[in-house]
Amino acid sequence: MLRFGLRSKFILLSCFLFLLPWLGYEYVWEMEKFLRQGQEKTLVGTTRALATALHERPALFDSQTNFLDLVVKGRDLYAYNLSNPIQLDGKLSDWQPYQSLMWHYDERYLQGDKTTHQSSDLSFDHMVGKYESFLYAVFKVTDDSLVYRAKNSLSLTRNDHLQIMLKTPQGQFKHYIVAARQDGWVNAFDAETKQPVTKIQGYFISTDSGYNIELRFPLSMLGNKLGFAIEDWDQGRPEPQTMSTSNLQNPNDIGSVLVPSPEINRILKGMGHSGSRIWVVDNHHRVLAQSGSIHHADGVWADGIADQPAKTWWQRFEQNYLHPLYYKVLTRPENEFLDTLHDVAAMQGTHIGKALTGTPASSWRLTPDNKAVILSAAYPIWIQDKVIGAVVAEETTNGVRTLRNKSLEKLFNVILAVMLIGTVTLFFFASRISSRIRRLRDTAEQAIDAQGRVTGSIDYSDANDEIGDLSRSFANIVGRLGGYTNYLETMSSRLSHELRTPVAVVRSSLENLQMQPQSELSQKYLDRASEGVERLGKIITTMSEATRLEQSIQSAEAEPFDLRKVITGCMQGYQLTYPQQAFIIDICDTPLPVMGAPEFIAQLLDKLINNALEFNLLDSAISVSLVKNDNEAVLTVKNNGPLLPEGLAEHIFDSMVSVRSQQLQQQPHLGLGLYVVRLVCDYHKGSVIAVNNQQGDGVEFIVRMPLSIPKYKDVTQNS
């Protein structure tokens, strides 16, 4: 029959409890990998859906497709989307959020002779931006000598001024000049007709280092070419210095301008609820349109799993106690992280490069502050079998990580529950096992008394485990030991009974032989045989005595008597019987009432005195004392002689145990004397111990008996 032992059960249960958290944790991590793969496929599908909406729609890209093959930063301008309209006041406060996007123009952009130029002569910071249907431009000019346009002068160019060259949507090039007579509002003039152009409005203000110009004009005036130039006239210098974004003298050299497409923006706006940040780039990697914020672009993975207010006691317990513990191991997704692609004019990346070659691709990147992982996917936009641009979508993995954390929270809850249930189960399992073991121990201790007697039996268990096997083994052992012990206990009486008749026959035969005349040698053998028979008779008598005492104890009725009188009478008899032995007697004067049998006490003292006489050294006294200690009578018998062997003090009161040497064994001895002492002590509910004295030159036997009520029978005992 197949069965599992206790060890196997514990091992299996321990392995299960150990493997459960590890398997669950690994499962959640594998789930996160699959979720990330699903997020990647979903994001590619998002870009594909948007690119499908832009395929074969050249009207959306007509104004964006005539760029140079090589886009040069500083020459080719990008109109950033502005979050708010610019207030034209020349103070540049509205441009503060876009300071990092301004481009610095220095002597590299100076037209003509550069040998005499210094940085303080002329330089400027510039950018253009788009808000709704207007294009805004800002110029922060550094000029060591500001020359205004003279009030009565018709000339627009013999003073510091700004030149604008643009290409209209109809393909015509227009040249405009902005020259200020004083700080304040300014308008542009047509460079050819010298007529003011009211559509181009601006504000001019001087500064400590030069001046600032802010401009605004409608996007309807602008095609895809735009350039600016600052012309600086200084006193005493015959020729001006011109610093420009591109060469305005040659229309073919004018830089391009990219304005985010409002049509594409409207299409992207419809994707604003997709949970992604979406870009549309041209085949020069320049951004045509953008929608969404990466800080909120976690896809649809975290929808519906936001933390809700705790309503039940369990939810409050989980949020207040369990979650702080869990998040010592887990990490919460960061919503605040560094975004390097915020308001960029051009985008780079291997996935974008592949998309512009016609292959959809995706990539993963870590933010510079290592707080978030961003997934990017790109899909090509086709027009007449030609890739005109790409749709780029980005999402963070915060949604997936939030799902993972929620899963791990549930997993940890389950693990805690399983561990708690497992611990309680193991506790009850261990308690049941320990209870069974304690019962088996108590039963075994009750079955065998302190002297090794088998006084009962063990009720074995039918359980099919190790403890059941152990209980059955103990029951079998105790049963066999009980039979053997009973045989030993009755062997002395059987031997004494069986040997008595043959010993009597041998003794009578020897007596008859001794009555006949014998030779000296025969007489010698007869004497030795008679001596052996006498020794055998004494052995039988001793065995019979112990058996009779056991039987007498079982049937004796206890009666009150004075222990002091019994001990006193016995010691008087020993002094007369052994006149050559010195005794030191110390017996208290107060009565010591004891319930029991005085004749048994006499036998107890007789055995102790005989034992002391056999082991006592010559010329040394045997000390006997009887005192009262609380509710006990304490009898002490001391003699000088050999010490008790180590480890045998507790066993010398067992049946047939003797420590006598061969020299002391001239008289037959079966080790039953001290056994009789123990039987008498047990009968009187007392105890006896044997110890080596403190001086280390002898042995003490100490008998303790409880005292009874002070009513006793006056008995004088003589040995």
Side-chain angles (χ1 to χ4, degrees):
M1 179 178 178
L2 181 62
R3 66 181 184 182
F4 290 99
L6 297 178
R7 180 181 298 178
S8 301
K9 294 176 182 176
F10 275 117
I11 291 176
L12 289 176
L13 190 56
S14 301
C15 291
F16 171 73
L17 292 178
F18 175 76
L19 287 176
L20 182 63
W22 180 78
L23 290 175
Y25 194 74
E26 288 296 320
Y27 173 77
V28 172
W29 278 107
E30 288 297 323
M31 182 190 71
E32 182 182 8
K33 293 179 182 178
F34 286 114
L35 286 177
R36 289 196 178 191
Q37 293 177 6
Q39 183 182 19
E40 186 173 0
K41 297 296 183 182
T42 301
L43 193 60
V44 172
T46 299
T47 59
R48 179 179 180 180
L50 184 55
T52 302
L54 300 177
H55 286 333
E56 307 301 334
R57 298 180 67 179
L60 298 175
F61 298 91
D62 280 347
S63 61
Q64 317 291 339
T65 55
N66 296 323
F67 299 121
L68 302 174
D69 292 336
L70 179 62
V71 176
V72 178
K73 212 165 187 181
R75 181 194 71 183
D76 300 306
L77 305 178
Y78 179 81
Y80 294 92
N81 277 312
L82 302 177
S83 58
N84 295 293
I86 301 297
Q87 182 179 357
L88 300 179
D89 55 8
K91 296 180 180 179
L92 309 185
S93 58
D94 293 335
W95 298 94
Q96 192 64 34
Y98 312 102
Q99 287 291 327
S100 61
L101 304 177
M102 289 189 180
W103 190 258
H104 181 68
Y105 294 83
D106 50 20
E107 63 180 5
R108 295 173 299 171
Y109 299 90
L110 191 64
Q111 305 294 322
D113 185 18
K114 303 180 182 180
T115 57
T116 61
H117 177 77
Q118 296 181 2
S119 59
S120 60
D121 292 342
L122 181 64
S123 64
F124 66 92
D125 295 331
H126 163 65
M127 71 169 287
V128 292
K130 168 188 170 293
Y131 184 79
E132 293 184 350
S133 60
F134 289 94
L135 184 75
Y136 291 84
V138 62
F139 301 89
K140 183 180 179 182
V141 182
T142 299
D143 187 359
D144 56 357
S145 177
L146 174 58
V147 178
Y148 288 101
R149 177 188 173 194
K151 293 184 179 181
N152 298 324
S153 173
L154 297 177
S155 174
L156 298 173
T157 59
R158 298 192 66 83
N159 48 264
D160 294 345
H161 62 274
L162 169 66
Q163 298 184 29
I164 305 172
M165 180 69 75
L166 58 83
K167 185 178 181 181
T168 66
Q170 293 76 25
Q172 297 178 349
F173 284 93
K174 292 291 185 177
H175 189 195
Y176 303 99
I177 295 175
V178 177
R181 295 182 186 273
Q182 60 184 6
D183 289 1
W185 285 95
V186 293
N187 288 107
F189 293 87
D190 191 305
E192 295 180 0
T193 64
K194 304 297 189 292
Q195 295 297 319
V197 181
T198 58
K199 289 184 178 181
I200 301 178
Q201 300 175 340
Y203 199 93
F204 184 99
I205 187 172
S206 60
T207 63
D208 294 337
S209 58
Y211 55 90
N212 297 335
I213 300 176
E214 289 180 324
L215 292 179
R216 180 185 68 186
F217 58 90
L219 288 173
S220 59
M221 297 176 58
L222 182 63
N224 60 0
K225 293 286 187 176
L226 178 64
F228 298 96
I230 299 292
E231 194 165 300
D232 180 32
W233 288 76
D234 291 338
Q235 298 292 337
R237 180 177 292 176
E239 297 293 334
Q241 287 185 324
T242 302
M243 186 174 292
S244 61
T245 60
S246 56
N247 184 13
L248 304 189
Q249 303 302 321
N250 185 358
N252 295 326
D253 293 338
I254 297 177
S256 62
V257 60
L258 180 61
V259 178
S261 171
E263 292 81 5
I264 300 178
N265 271 332
R266 281 192 291 270
I267 296 175
L268 292 188
K269 189 176 182 180
M271 300 292 293
H273 302 287
S274 64
S276 306
R277 178 168 70 174
I278 301 176
W279 314 76
V280 177
V281 299
D282 64 6
N283 52 9
H284 296 292
H285 296 259
R286 300 183 67 169
V287 176
L288 303 180
Q290 184 261 336
S291 173
S293 170
I294 191 62
H295 293 92
H296 302 92
D298 53 8
V300 297
W301 303 90
D303 292 349
I305 59 173
D307 291 334
Q308 301 294 331
K311 297 180 180 179
T312 64
W313 69 269
W314 168 251
Q315 292 175 344
R316 289 191 292 271
F317 175 78
E318 191 177 16
Q319 289 185 0
N320 295 334
Y321 299 100
L322 296 182
H323 287 180
L325 179 63
Y326 295 163
Y327 282 94
K328 291 183 179 296
V329 179
L330 305 178
T331 56
R332 297 183 184 273
E334 291 282 352
N335 289 325
E336 297 298 330
F337 50 85
L338 185 60
D339 178 22
T340 57
L341 296 183
H342 176 69
D343 287 332
V344 294
M347 296 187 66
Q348 302 294 332
T350 56
H351 59 297
I352 299 177
K354 290 182 179 179
L356 293 177
T357 61
T359 304
S362 61
S363 66
W364 299 83
R365 62 183 173 87
L366 193 64
T367 57
D369 53 6
N370 297 331
K371 291 184 178 180
V373 178
I374 296 178
L375 169 63
S376 299
Y379 201 90
I381 302 173
W382 298 86
I383 295 179
Q384 295 180 355
D385 297 330
K386 181 180 179 180
V387 176
I388 196 65
V391 176
V392 181
E394 291 185 335
E395 290 179 358
T396 65
T397 59
N398 289 354
V400 172
R401 293 174 64 188
T402 302
L403 276 176
R404 180 203 66 188
N405 287 350
K406 291 296 181 181
S407 300
L408 287 175
E409 289 173 13
K410 299 298 182 182
L411 174 65
F412 289 160
N413 290 342
V414 172
I415 289 175
L416 286 178
V418 171
M419 297 294 282
L420 179 61
I421 294 174
T423 301
V424 173
T425 303
L426 283 176
F427 173 77
F428 283 109
F429 187 52
S431 299
R432 180 174 177 272
I433 291 176
S434 60
S435 176
R436 293 173 62 192
I437 293 175
R438 285 195 300 270
R439 284 201 305 270
L440 181 59
R441 179 204 62 192
D442 296 341
T443 304
E445 290 180 352
Q446 294 172 2
I448 301 176
D449 61 11
Q451 289 74 38
R453 290 180 176 180
V454 178
T455 58
S457 61
I458 295 180
D459 296 331
Y460 61 86
S461 172
D462 294 329
N464 197 22
D465 56 15
E466 282 84 349
I467 297 180
D469 287 343
L470 186 62
S471 67
R472 290 188 289 273
S473 297
F474 274 18
N476 188 21
I477 291 172
V478 169
R480 288 185 290 175
L481 185 60
Y484 182 68
T485 303
N486 182 63
Y487 170 76
L488 292 178
E489 290 175 349
T490 58
M491 184 179 66
S492 59
S493 60
R494 292 178 181 176
L495 286 176
S496 61
H497 176 74
E498 296 295 334
L499 293 177
R500 193 175 301 277
T501 299
V503 167
V505 172
V506 172
R507 179 182 289 115
S508 61
S509 299
L510 290 176
E511 290 175 354
N512 291 330
L513 285 175
Q514 287 180 346
M515 295 176 62
Q516 302 295 326
Q518 302 289 336
S519 63
E520 182 179 354
L521 182 60
S522 297
Q523 188 62 41
K524 179 179 178 181
Y525 289 141
L526 284 175
D527 293 340
R528 292 177 62 182
S530 298
E531 181 181 352
V533 170
E534 290 298 326
R535 288 174 60 89
L536 186 58
K538 290 182 179 181
I539 291 175
I540 295 173
T541 302
T542 302
M543 294 171 60
S544 300
E545 180 183 2
T547 302
R548 286 196 304 271
L549 180 61
E550 289 181 344
Q551 296 174 351
S552 299
I553 286 176
Q554 293 177 1
S555 59
E557 294 184 0
E559 60 182 88
F561 66 92
D562 187 356
L563 180 64
R564 180 181 62 83
K565 290 185 178 181
V566 174
I567 299 300
T568 301
C570 290
M571 292 308 302
Q572 292 174 356
Y574 295 141
Q575 288 176 325
L576 295 175
T577 305
Y578 306 105
Q580 74 280 5
Q581 176 63 50
F583 290 93
I584 300 175
I585 301 174
D586 181 15
I587 298 177
C588 64
D589 297 331
T590 60
L592 300 175
V594 174
M595 287 294 295
E599 61 272 14
F600 292 164
I601 298 297
Q603 292 189 48
L604 176 147
L605 186 59
D606 183 56
K607 300 302 181 184
L608 292 178
I609 295 299
N610 286 336
N611 183 80
L613 290 172
E614 291 185 17
F615 287 96
N616 192 47
L617 297 178
L618 295 176
D619 301 329
S620 62
I622 295 175
S623 176
V624 178
S625 67
L626 178 65
V627 298
K628 179 181 179 182
N629 185 11
D630 293 335
N631 293 324
E632 289 183 333
V634 181
L635 173 65
T636 305
V637 178
K638 305 178 183 178
N639 70 277
N640 295 333
L643 301 179
L644 292 172
E646 184 178 356
L648 197 62
E650 297 180 358
H651 300 287
I652 61 175
F653 296 100
D654 293 342
S655 176
M656 296 186 179
V657 175
S658 176
V659 296
R660 289 170 174 77
S661 61
Q662 293 294 329
Q663 292 78 9
L664 297 176
Q665 293 251 117
Q666 296 178 0
Q667 295 296 326
H669 195 279
L670 297 179
L672 295 174
L674 296 180
Y675 173 65
V676 170
V677 172
R678 193 194 54 149
L679 291 178
V680 174
C681 288
D682 291 344
Y683 173 74
H684 290 86
K685 298 180 176 55
S687 63
V688 60
I689 59 173
V691 295
N692 296 321
N693 60 21
Q694 296 181 353
Q695 294 77 17
D697 58 357
V699 177
E700 299 180 7
F701 287 85
I702 302 173
V703 178
R704 298 178 183 274
M705 292 187 181
L707 299 178
S708 63
I709 57 177
K711 294 181 180 180
Y712 54 85
K713 178 181 178 180
D714 188 5
V715 179
T716 301
Q717 182 71 32
N718 294 318
S719 67

